[in-house]
Amino acid sequence: MGKTAVVTGGSRGIGKAISLKLASEGYDIALNYASNDEAAKAAQEEITAKGVRCEIYKADTSDIAQVKAMFKDIKKNFETIDVLINNAGVVDDAYLLMIRQESLDRSLDINIKGYINCAQAASLKMCSQKSGKIINVSSVSSVLAVPGQCVYSATKGAVNSLTQTMAKELAPYGIQVNAVAPGFIGTDMIKSIPGDLAEKYLDAVPMKRFGTAEDVADCVASLLTGAFAYMTGQVIVLDGGLSL
Ligand code: NAP
């Protein structure tokens, strides 16, 4: 295919499933992660087994110097950047009265600044190509109030807003920007929810199951096809009906 997708947080969970799905469709993958070398190498092996190229890049997306260095390397290694999946994110739930500054800063830095840093670096290249697609991974928490998630939901609300503005700014350059807002998805992130609370959450999902990382990957891959060539600035909620 000769197309390249950059996937942030591609070593585990939703990012890994998206990387594998896009690899199975023929995309070469530039896979970013933060710290877990073992998981990144394992993901790289699984991806290359699909017959495409996969390079891994350790960089904290909230750190602009690391992001610039990473994209410099990506541009050296791959001819084009056709897709950016802004996915690397963290959740650190706490009720308003218990929020720690350190946790607040980390969430704002990774979940908002990180998305802007990577979109800026990728769209520089996409603008010169006059084509590209950016998918921002948001969350149902951006449209559904969950006690304990005011920081997380604020960051994901920001992702929805920046999706719209980026879409408007970048449309003249042939770049589409959309977001997917998953509900509860069975990744390491969701495994941190205590058992009784997880059951309560499951009960609230009309489709009576948590989503899978593959559900999200399938949705993201569909958005990259010609079927959605005229859509930009939209947030697709993929939550089994949770937010209804
Ligand atoms: P996950 O299983 O915890 O995986 C997180 C991934 O992001 C890992 O690859 C991790 O790399 C990477 N990462 C974390 N901080 C990073 C940073 N500063 N720079 C670069 N990479 C970083 O998470 P997930 O559940 O797949 O979630 C992925 C995205 O989906 C997030 O944006 C999350 O908010 C969103 N989401 C998840 C759910 C859900 O139910 N799971 C629902 C809605 C939305 P290392 O392992 O190296 O740290």
Side-chain angles (χ1 to χ4, degrees):
M1 177 193 248
K3 287 192 174 180
T4 301
V6 179
V7 183
T8 70
S11 57
R12 292 190 291 115
I14 291 171
K16 181 178 175 184
I18 293 172
S19 300
L20 282 166
K21 175 72 182 173
L22 297 187
S24 71
E25 298 199 343
Y27 284 90
D28 290 326
I29 306 292
L31 184 150
N32 156 264
Y33 69 105
S35 58
N36 189 334
D37 301 314
E38 222 171 276
K41 281 183 190 140
Q44 183 183 31
E45 259 179 47
E46 279 185 58
I47 291 164
T48 48
K50 294 190 176 291
V52 298
R53 280 182 63 203
C54 175
E55 303 292 339
I56 55 175
Y57 301 90
K58 185 176 189 167
D60 178 348
T61 52
S62 68
D63 181 325
I64 187 65
Q66 292 186 38
V67 169
K68 280 186 175 170
M70 171 172 77
F71 274 89
K72 200 171 164 197
D73 284 349
I74 292 173
K75 286 173 197 170
K76 262 191 229 152
N77 291 330
F78 298 93
E79 212 169 299
T80 54
I81 298 178
D82 302 281
V83 168
L84 167 68
I85 310 293
N86 252 333
N87 164 79
V90 289
V91 65
D92 190 4
D93 290 347
Y95 291 108
L96 178 66
L97 299 181
M98 307 184 55
I99 294 167
R100 291 171 297 111
Q101 275 299 305
E102 187 188 295
S103 158
L104 172 61
D105 287 344
R106 182 167 174 264
S107 293
L108 298 177
D109 282 352
I110 298 174
N111 294 4
I112 304 177
K113 242 168 84 177
Y115 277 40
I116 293 174
N117 288 343
C118 293
Q120 188 184 44
S123 59
L124 256 174
K125 176 76 173 159
M126 290 173 175
C127 282
S128 72
Q129 296 166 184
K130 290 251 182 272
S131 71
K133 295 181 202 297
I134 299 175
I135 305 283
N136 294 319
V137 179
S138 178
S139 167
V140 68
S141 300
S142 64
V143 293
L144 179 75
V146 180
Q149 288 210 319
C150 80
V151 173
Y152 184 68
S153 59
T155 65
K156 293 304 185 177
V159 168
N160 295 357
S161 301
L162 64 86
T163 298
Q164 293 178 334
T165 309
M166 280 181 194
K168 213 164 182 178
E169 278 188 24
L170 296 174
Y173 300 93
I175 302 168
Q176 288 168 266
V177 187
N178 289 293
V180 174
F184 297 122
I185 306 297
T187 65
D188 293 345
M189 198 178 257
I190 208 96
K191 284 178 201 147
S192 63
I193 299 174
D196 51 336
L197 203 54
E199 254 174 54
K200 207 175 109 195
Y201 285 165
L202 184 57
D203 204 43
V205 181
M207 287 180 74
K208 294 294 168 220
R209 70 170 177 90
F210 287 141
T212 64
E214 289 71 28
D215 287 327
V216 183
D218 288 349
C219 177
V220 167
S222 305
L223 291 177
L224 300 175
T225 67
F228 292 93
Y230 194 53
M231 189 176 88
T232 199
Q234 302 305 307
V235 180
I236 305 296
V237 179
L238 189 80
D239 67 350
L242 175 66
S243 57
L244 299 175

